[in-house]
Amino acid sequence: MTPLPWRRWTRAVLGRRALLRWVHLVLGGALLMPYFLLTTVILGSVVRSDDLLTSLPWQLLAFAAALPLAALTALFPLVRPLEAMAARALCGLPESAELAAGPAASWDARRRTALWYALHLAVGGVVSGLTLAVPPAAVLLMALPVTGTSYGADLGRPGAFDGGRAVLAPAAGALLLA
């Protein structure tokens, strides 16, 4: 008997395998943090800006500058086996999956490892940021008709849900969660 389509979708989105893959990406975000903090400190000492920690363009620049540093550290021999072991364990890959389990033997293999490691950390950083930001934003949007407070003014979008449009805020919050 085949499962119903909505059960397959629910299992694919909320199942054990999906949660382990999410953990794998959040691990990438956690591994990105030292590089991100280092580039933020270096950028802060060079730029001398008051809004460095609150400005989205500066934060994106620090994020982009952290990725080459992460790629450089992926050239160390131990990174490749650790990444393969984490991918195998957290992404539900079978033992027969061909992953590079040992240190890289050539510079081409080292470059591929550095690229995959930087990609893992970049996507993991974005997923981690969304994991931290989306649930509170959705709760605020869902509570907007009850509280009557527009938090959009703090985000540079004054009056996005003012007036009669506040009734749409819970739907926007649910859509944001989806």
Side-chain angles (χ1 to χ4, degrees):
M1 183 167 142
T2 60
L4 297 172
W6 63 272
R7 281 191 180 169
R8 260 186 275 147
W9 181 85
T10 305
R11 192 178 315 134
V13 173
L14 299 173
R16 182 179 188 278
R17 192 174 196 182
L19 290 176
L20 285 175
R21 288 178 177 176
W22 173 79
V23 167
H24 182 254
L25 289 174
V26 170
L27 174 66
L31 289 172
L32 178 69
M33 285 312 295
Y35 306 106
F36 178 73
L37 293 174
L38 177 66
T39 55
T40 302
V41 167
I42 292 172
L43 196 59
S45 66
V46 171
V47 174
R48 304 267 189 224
S49 175
D50 290 339
D51 63 340
L52 184 68
L53 296 176
T54 58
S55 170
L56 182 62
W58 286 118
Q59 291 297 298
L60 290 175
L61 181 64
F63 180 80
L67 294 175
L69 285 176
L72 280 176
T73 59
L75 298 176
F76 289 107
L78 190 58
V79 173
R80 185 176 167 130
L82 287 175
E83 272 288 303
M85 187 171 38
R88 183 170 278 128
L90 294 173
C91 293
L93 298 176
E95 288 296 322
S96 62
E98 292 186 32
L99 290 179
S106 68
W107 277 103
D108 283 338
R110 287 185 185 105
R111 280 191 286 273
R112 279 192 306 275
T113 300
L115 178 67
W116 280 111
Y117 186 66
L119 184 65
H120 176 211
L121 271 58
V123 173
V126 170
V127 168
S128 297
L130 289 174
T131 299
L132 291 172
V134 167
V139 168
L140 287 175
L141 283 171
M142 289 179 188
L144 185 63
V146 177
T147 62
T149 307
S150 177
Y151 295 98
D154 296 335
L155 300 174
R157 303 196 81 183
F161 288 105
D162 285 349
R165 292 184 301 236
V167 221
L168 300 175
L175 187 63
L176 188 61
L177 282 178

